[in-house]
Amino acid sequence: MLGRLFMDHPKSLGMSWAEHGVGAVAIGARMVGAGIACIVHAAVPGLFTQTAGRTVIDLHDHMMQRRAGAADPNSWPDYEI
């Protein structure tokens, strides 16, 4: 059970638990930052006009590069964190 919860997913991506955790935290932090920018943008439309879109594009590119660099890129789902 613990192996399934903590190790199976990172291992299936060719990563250690720590490597996966660092990457997931980095991606999550960028998503939270973009979300906050969207909330500010809702109140002040002249601010953060491209932040969310640029973040989504950058994160997609980052995940596709990780996938391409994996030992078995075909085993990676399209949008894996």
Side-chain angles (χ1 to χ4, degrees):
M1 171 89 161
L2 289 178
R4 184 174 57 84
L5 288 174
F6 291 98
M7 299 304 298
D8 288 357
H9 173 63
K11 195 178 292 184
S12 74
L13 302 175
M15 300 174 149
S16 70
W17 175 85
E19 289 170 324
H20 181 270
V22 167
V25 167
I27 289 170
R30 291 199 55 201
M31 292 172 73
V32 168
I36 291 169
C38 285
I39 292 168
V40 171
H41 174 74
V44 185
L47 296 177
F48 305 113
T49 59
Q50 297 179 16
T51 303
R54 190 174 55 245
T55 300
V56 168
I57 290 167
D58 291 348
L59 287 173
H60 177 265
D61 290 346
H62 171 75
M63 287 187 276
M64 292 301 104
Q65 288 173 3
R66 283 177 50 194
R67 178 183 180 177
D72 183 8
N74 294 325
S75 70
W76 276 49
D78 286 338
Y79 296 100
E80 192 62 60
I81 294 178

